Amino acid sequence: MTEMMTTDVRAIMDRSPFDASAVADLRELLDRDPSRYRTLRDAVSTIRDRGKKDPAAASESQLRLGVGEVLLGRYAAGLENLKRAGELGMARFFQGLAHENLQQFAEAAEAFAKSAKLGYDAKNSELRRAGALRRLGRLEETDGKAEAGRAKIAEARKILDGLEKAAGSSAEFHFQRGAVLSAEGELDRAAVDLEKALELDRDHDGALFELAYINDLYGNDETAVDLYKRCTQRPPVPLAAWINLGVLYEDEMKFREAEQCYRRVLEYDPNHPRAKLFAKDCQASKGMYYDEEAEKGYTVLKQLLEIPVTDFELSVRSRNCLRKMNIRTLGDLTRTTEAALLASKNFGETSLAEIKEMMRSKGVRLGMALEGADRAGPGGVEAPSAPVPEVSPEIQALLGKPIAELSLSVRARKCMSRLNLQTVGDLTRRSGDDLLECKNFGVTSLNEVRDKLAALGLKLKND
């Protein structure tokens, strides 16, 4: 039986023509038995060696090699082969998959558009193009280009609306529509589509990843870990799945497992900036002393501030706005100002009044933690105001810069968001210890922040 499996995979890789039918058969075999990926690795190696010995046949083998490398999750190597395969629809489609997994979403969208134009699996190519545009839009929103990002997501939705009649019964369609809904903040509706995608294809890696991410946002860590693990069981694995799984392991203080996740990313992309940074954080965290007794000494106030905002009876609009701002607990709200909330899209005076009333009933208020950080003295008593030194216009301009202009890593940016630090000046009023108390913020991230400030001639409080 084993020999039969081996022969099937090798025969498909050598089939002529090597077309969409061959790839569909290959994927079916791999999905049925993931152990056959070992045979695929051997087949790819054989084709590569054959090309070296016979240069005349080398160009013909580029498509097979590129497809094989992408299916194995070796995206950079796959791209190199596929670019030499010529202007073929299949080559363009698999270039799109490779670019997408390397988070090169603009290039992915272009490759899928060309794949559809060349007639290779046109419906799936368009679905994938919608996905690449949606992810590009999310990236632009994160980088402060909100209007451009929303336009990309709207374009993705328009593509999906046009494909609903032709492709609405496929797992890929429900995945892509669920992912767009998630990008638009409609997480409950998104989950319905994503679960439908998994009913149609229980191993759909995209649906597994997006559903894991939604559970991660809601704080359902156990479910999120399970879904991310399922996402990593069948190549090709989205690199972001390894990253997010590693972060969740770090939350559980499983630093060894987290580091292994980041190492898996670095196997495929040795220069992946987030994986390199997070792996260093894990190494530093493994040597830190964990004081179990101190952990048990949480005060009643701290327990109160850790209550999720989803536990309160807020309107749908208020909940959606808080979710988009990554405000997950009552403590996050005490580190948020009225101005920051009102600056959020669709958040108005009615929602503000609702949240202020809820917080008043709990004995806390908006901005309370910020006041405490800047003004409170020993025992929580407000300290007398100190004289404010005069600051030059140049320094004022630096302090007024948005934190986004520091180009921090994702982990450091998340910490800034959780602490509601919006400008460089906000950051300089925090100490290194303040930042290290933030979830998933380690020594490596702290050094990164210090280096960015030093380049501007600034430093953290108490440095």
Side-chain angles (χ1 to χ4, degrees):
M1 179 65 86
T2 301
E3 180 60 27
M4 186 66 179
M5 290 180 183
T6 302
T7 303
D8 283 346
V9 172
R10 291 181 181 276
I12 292 173
M13 287 300 292
D14 285 335
R15 185 187 296 179
S16 289
F18 188 69
D19 55 12
S21 175
V23 172
D25 289 347
L26 179 60
R27 285 184 137 172
E28 183 181 351
L29 283 172
L30 296 171
D31 287 344
R32 194 184 307 158
D33 182 3
S35 69
R36 298 186 189 189
Y37 278 98
R38 291 195 295 269
T39 308
L40 178 60
R41 281 195 294 269
D42 293 340
V44 167
S45 181
T46 299
I47 294 170
R48 188 185 300 110
D49 292 342
R50 195 163 60 210
K52 291 177 182 176
K53 293 176 182 177
D54 183 6
S59 60
E60 299 176 7
S61 67
Q62 298 305 315
L63 179 62
R64 302 173 196 269
L65 278 176
V67 170
E69 296 282 24
V70 171
L71 289 176
L72 289 169
R74 301 194 290 232
Y75 306 115
L79 270 178
E80 290 302 313
N81 293 119
L82 292 166
K83 287 176 181 176
R84 293 193 288 266
E87 193 67 2
L88 303 172
M90 183 189 293
R92 285 295 187 176
F93 182 83
F94 277 86
Q95 282 179 42
L97 294 181
H99 281 305
E100 191 174 49
N101 279 281
L102 292 171
Q103 300 192 18
Q104 300 164 350
F105 303 125
E107 295 87 342
E110 182 182 356
F112 288 131
K114 289 185 177 177
S115 168
K117 191 174 182 180
L118 291 167
Y120 180 81
D121 199 358
K123 284 188 290 189
N124 200 30
S125 293
E126 281 294 280
L127 286 171
R128 290 282 186 169
R129 181 165 76 94
L133 288 169
R134 179 251 311 163
R135 296 178 75 180
L136 179 60
R138 291 289 291 272
L139 189 64
E140 288 180 341
E141 284 185 329
T142 303
D143 289 341
K145 304 172 185 174
E147 187 174 344
R150 286 194 293 269
K152 296 287 193 310
I153 294 170
E155 186 179 352
R157 176 178 272 283
K158 185 176 179 181
I159 292 170
L160 293 175
D161 289 344
L163 289 170
E164 184 168 8
K165 187 173 181 180
S169 61
S170 69
E172 185 66 23
F173 175 83
H174 285 286
F175 155 61
Q176 295 292 357
R177 187 167 69 179
V180 165
L181 287 168
S182 176
E184 293 173 337
E186 301 288 343
L187 299 187
D188 293 335
R189 291 177 60 201
V192 173
D193 263 308
L194 296 170
E195 286 166 357
K196 178 64 176 178
L198 291 177
E199 285 178 19
L200 296 168
D201 178 3
R202 70 178 304 276
D203 297 314
H204 193 291
D205 58 351
L208 286 169
F209 177 85
E210 284 293 331
L211 201 53
Y213 182 68
I214 289 174
N215 276 276
D216 193 353
L217 286 179
Y218 275 116
N220 303 327
D221 289 0
E222 188 174 340
T223 302
V225 167
D226 178 62
L227 290 166
Y228 280 133
K229 285 171 71 174
R230 283 175 58 190
C231 193
T232 63
Q233 286 170 357
R234 291 173 181 266
V237 176
L239 298 185
W242 286 119
I243 293 286
N244 292 2
L245 181 58
V247 170
L248 284 171
Y249 278 142
E250 283 192 75
D251 289 349
E252 298 174 5
M253 303 192 75
K254 296 180 179 177
F255 300 117
R256 189 176 303 279
E257 291 89 339
E259 186 177 359
Q260 288 173 349
C261 290
Y262 304 142
R263 295 296 175 198
R264 293 299 296 271
V265 176
L266 295 172
E267 287 176 16
Y268 295 110
D269 184 2
N271 295 314
H272 195 289
R274 293 175 67 203
K276 288 170 70 176
L277 184 66
F278 293 1
K280 287 180 181 177
D281 270 351
C282 276
Q283 289 176 338
S285 297
K286 283 191 295 186
M288 292 173 65
Y289 172 69
Y290 177 64
D291 187 345
E292 188 174 356
E293 290 303 314
E295 188 70 16
K296 292 178 181 177
Y298 282 142
T299 62
V300 174
L301 176 60
K302 184 170 180 63
Q303 292 172 353
L304 174 68
L305 296 180
E306 288 178 346
I307 297 176
V309 292
T310 51
D311 285 5
F312 302 109
E313 294 184 4
L314 298 174
S315 65
V316 173
R317 174 168 294 186
S318 294
R319 288 202 308 271
N320 285 341
C321 287
L322 294 180
R323 190 182 302 126
K324 288 177 182 177
M325 294 178 70
N326 199 30
I327 295 172
R328 300 169 69 174
T329 67
L330 192 58
D332 291 339
L333 277 170
T334 67
R335 294 188 290 270
T336 304
T337 64
E338 290 188 20
L341 290 176
L342 290 171
S344 179
K345 183 182 178 183
N346 297 328
F347 195 97
E349 293 288 349
T350 303
S351 298
L352 178 63
E354 176 187 23
I355 285 174
K356 287 172 71 174
E357 175 58 27
M358 177 273 290
M359 294 184 73
R360 186 197 62 75
S361 70
K362 298 297 179 184
V364 294
R365 64 183 184 279
L366 289 169
M368 186 177 77
L370 299 178
E371 296 168 5
D374 289 339
R375 298 162 57 189
V381 179
E382 191 170 302
S385 300
V388 179
E390 290 202 15
V391 179
S392 70
E394 293 80 6
I395 295 297
Q396 287 180 351
L398 285 177
L399 295 175
K401 278 179 174 286
I403 279 182
E405 293 189 18
L406 294 180
S407 300
L408 295 169
S409 65
V410 174
R411 177 168 297 192
R413 289 205 306 271
K414 281 186 176 180
C415 175
M416 304 300 109
S417 176
R418 287 191 180 103
L419 295 177
N420 195 36
L421 305 182
Q422 300 179 14
T423 67
V424 172
D426 293 339
L427 179 56
T428 60
R429 288 192 288 272
R430 294 300 183 111
S431 68
D433 289 340
D434 292 336
L435 299 182
L436 287 171
E437 288 179 3
C438 193
K439 182 179 178 182
N440 295 328
F441 190 91
V443 175
T444 303
S445 300
L446 177 59
N447 289 336
E448 176 195 7
V449 168
R450 282 174 166 153
D451 289 344
K452 296 287 188 180
L453 289 177
L456 300 175
L458 302 172
K459 58 186 179 180
L460 293 170
K461 179 182 178 183
N462 297 336
D463 273 8

